[in-house]
């Protein structure tokens, strides 16, 4: 009997959240994480600084654990970061999750002191089974699911800048944070390699519930959108709002925002592509629109699968305007080794109520 793919991805996302939290709660690691790269005291030994190590370690941990459980998916588990570090002496260090804590710690001592390496390695090898009430009932997956036809996109820490800085600023809208740890998400999305459609998504907010200084608990959302199975733990009621509410990147163009304002939307600005998609999933906002190509497949695969399980979707902004109809983002493996093909280069429009798209497209056609 195959292990349950969704439950295992949820466990992997919680292990990722543990590693992300440890990197910020442990004094020695936090110092490495937020060290300024200025002046002679910066440890310039490696081209990449520690924050990318946290990203890479989380990504390689998810890959290791899922490959072990689902060998048929081995070649199609992809992430944002390369596992290689090259130091200024040209010495390349590859982050490898070993079979034991000792092996992984040994690998990390090439980059970290023994104490830090040991702390991180024990999180990497910790058995994590996340079965909180908030997950609801996770249905069995179809017995004929073809795992060799499934690919995975991992964003180990979305909102990296927010993860490093940790400073919180709120928006005018209750519950919507503009910048800060609440904007950080772990994103694990599964897509059908034949159709390119997202089919399973897990989004975790590792710093959502603050219990104490440096003590946090995750908030986890999941969704399944298979031909014969739609399910999720995101049955939020649509709130009655006087005006529609959109959430945007602080980098969005003014003329785009003006057109949306003409449609009667109010605006919230927040960091984190995954975080903004979560606000659509929970109906806290009606729309997440980005006209720029600043997100990637790893940012959108997971939340798009959840939105599709709810009757929503994430569309290509430019593609939908050009075709005068909603064009959903796709994850077909078009030779992603060419960098720009991992990019959602024509921007995105994320909604739960797909009828909002027609009005938006008409406005942008004017
Ligand atoms: C980033 C992160 C940024 C987002 C950018 C993403 O991913 O989500 O917040 O920019 O598009 O690629 P913005 O804040 O303008 O939405 P990462 O942090 O993983 O690089
Ligand atoms: Ca990202």
């Amino acid at each position: 009997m195959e292990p349950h793919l969704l439950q295992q991805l949820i466990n992997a996302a919680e292990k990722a959240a543990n590693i992300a939290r440890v990197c910020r709660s442990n004094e020695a690691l936090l110092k490495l994480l937020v060290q300024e790269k200025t002046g002679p005291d910066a440890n310039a030994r490696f081209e990449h600084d520690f924050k990318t190590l946290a990203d890479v370690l989380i990504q390689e941990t998810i890959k290791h654990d899922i490959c072990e459980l689902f060998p048929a998916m081995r070649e199609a588990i992809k992430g944002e970061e390369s596992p290689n570090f090259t130091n200024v002496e040209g010495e390349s260090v590859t982050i490898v999750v070993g079979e034991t804590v000792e092996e992984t710690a040994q690998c990390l001592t090439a980059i970290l002191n023994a104490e830090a390496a040991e702390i991180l390695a024990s999180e990497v090898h910790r058995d994590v089974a996340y079965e909180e009430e908030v997950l609801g009932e996770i249905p069995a997956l179809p017995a004929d699911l073809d795992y060799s036809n499934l690919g995975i996109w991992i964003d180990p820490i979305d909102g990296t800048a927010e993860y490093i800085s940790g400073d919180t600023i709120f928006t005018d809208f209750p519950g919507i944070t503009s910048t800060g740890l609440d904007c950080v998400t772990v994103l694990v999305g599964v897509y059908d390699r034949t159709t390119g459609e997202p089919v399973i998504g897990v989004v975790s907010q590792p710093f959502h519930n603050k219990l104490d200084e440096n003590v946090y608990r995750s908030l986890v959302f999941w969704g399944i959108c298979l031909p014969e199975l739609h399910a999720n733990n995101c049955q939020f009621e649509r709130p009655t709002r006087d005006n529609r509410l959109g959430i945007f990147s602080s980098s969005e163009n003014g003329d785009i925002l003006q057109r949306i304002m003409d449609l009667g939307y109010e605006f919230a600005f927040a960091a984190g592509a995954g975080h903004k998609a979560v606000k659509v999933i929970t109906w806290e906002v009606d729309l997440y629109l980005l006209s720029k190509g600043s997100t990637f497949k790893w940012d959108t695969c997971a939340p798009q699968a959840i939105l599709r399980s709810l009757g929503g979707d994430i569309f290509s902004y430019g593609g939908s305007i050009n075709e005068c109809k909603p064009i959903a983002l796709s994850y077909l493996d078009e030779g992603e080794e060419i960098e720009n093909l991992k990019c959602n280069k024509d921007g995105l429009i994320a909604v739960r109520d797909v009828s909002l798209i027609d009005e938006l497209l008409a406005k942008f056609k004017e």
Side-chain angles (χ1 to χ4, degrees), residues 349-366:
I349 304 177
V351 289
R352 274 195 63 167
D353 173 358
V354 292
S355 72
L356 296 180
I357 285 288
D358 301 330
E359 184 188 48
L360 284 161
L361 295 185
K363 185 69 184 173
F364 283 108
K365 277 316 272 183
E366 278 175 6

Side-chain angles (χ1 to χ4, degrees), residues 73-190:
M73 299 180 75
R74 184 175 298 278
E75 65 176 34
I77 301 186
K78 297 175 276 193
E80 176 170 2
E81 310 282 355
S82 142
N84 306 314
F85 287 78
T86 307
N87 67 19
V88 287
E89 286 88 39
E91 178 193 321
S92 181
V93 177
T94 300
I95 299 296
V96 176
V97 173
E99 285 320 302
T100 64
V101 182
E102 292 73 22
E103 272 180 41
T104 302
Q106 180 58 38
C107 169
L108 292 174
T109 49
I111 293 183
L112 295 171
N113 61 59
E115 180 206 2
E118 191 54 44
I119 291 165
L120 284 182
S122 55
E123 285 308 323
V124 167
H125 290 271
R126 185 184 304 281
D127 274 337
V128 174
Y130 188 79
E131 279 145 7
E132 301 287 312
E133 194 62 32
V134 73
L135 289 180
E137 186 65 34
I138 293 182
L141 295 175
D144 62 351
L145 193 57
D146 176 3
Y147 293 88
S148 66
N149 180 43
L150 297 178
I152 293 185
W153 277 110
I154 303 166
D155 190 342
I157 299 179
D158 183 59
T160 312
E162 306 312 312
Y163 176 60
I164 302 305
S165 79
D167 303 332
T168 296
I169 301 174
F170 295 105
T171 65
D172 299 341
F173 303 94
I176 301 181
T177 307
S178 185
T179 65
L181 290 174
D182 205 32
C183 301
V184 175
T185 54
V186 175
L187 305 169
V188 188
V190 182

